[in-house]
Amino acid sequence: MKRKLAVAFVLLLLSIGIVYGQCTVNGKEVPCDEFWSSYGWIFILMIVFVIIGLIFWVWILIDCIQRPVDNKTAWLLLIIFLGIIGGIIYLIIGRKHVAQPSAQQNNP
């Protein structure tokens, strides 16, 4: 999560620098507002992907906490440390391995 916040912060700083600075396009200095109108959609697209990735990561983390899966601690650590990749692995493999209730829980 810290990595995603750092990426969002860097993108914010880049966008501020683009608005108030001079940009070089093809070796020629141009006002950055021209750069922003030409290439700004790339930064917006990157921010959208970061937000979608963060939402996906939180959704998978909550799903893992609430669902009775085998080795819940291992899955949580995998999701936390590998981020979106860990979430995709959990989505493909982990959700299929639902913990089986023990015999003591079935017989009161």
Side-chain angles (χ1 to χ4, degrees), residues 42-54:
I42 293 173
F43 295 111
I44 292 171
L45 193 60
M46 289 172 63
I47 291 170
V48 167
F49 280 134
V50 167
I51 290 171
I52 289 171
L54 183 63

Side-chain angles (χ1 to χ4, degrees), residues 3-104:
R3 184 178 349 152
K4 291 175 181 64
L5 288 175
V7 169
F9 183 70
V10 168
L11 289 175
L12 178 66
L13 290 177
L14 285 174
S15 64
I16 291 171
I18 288 172
V19 171
Y20 293 110
Q22 288 288 324
C23 298
T24 304
V25 178
N26 295 329
K28 178 180 162 187
E29 291 267 334
V30 296
C32 286
D33 57 347
E34 291 178 18
F35 177 83
W36 183 253
S37 65
S38 300
Y39 299 102
W41 62 272
I42 293 173
F43 295 111
I44 292 171
L45 193 60
M46 289 172 63
I47 291 170
V48 167
F49 280 134
V50 167
I51 290 171
I52 289 171
L54 183 63
I55 291 170
F56 171 76
W57 184 76
V58 169
W59 171 65
I60 288 296
L61 194 60
I62 291 171
D63 184 76
C64 183
I65 291 170
Q66 292 178 345
R67 188 179 293 265
V69 294
D70 291 330
N71 300 322
K72 185 178 287 206
T73 305
W75 282 114
L76 286 172
L77 291 174
L78 181 87
I79 293 168
I80 289 170
F81 288 119
L82 292 182
I84 295 173
I85 303 297
I88 292 170
I89 293 170
Y90 169 76
L91 191 64
I92 294 170
I93 299 171
R95 293 183 82 193
K96 295 178 184 177
H97 298 287
V98 176
Q100 300 297 324
S102 64
Q104 293 176 352

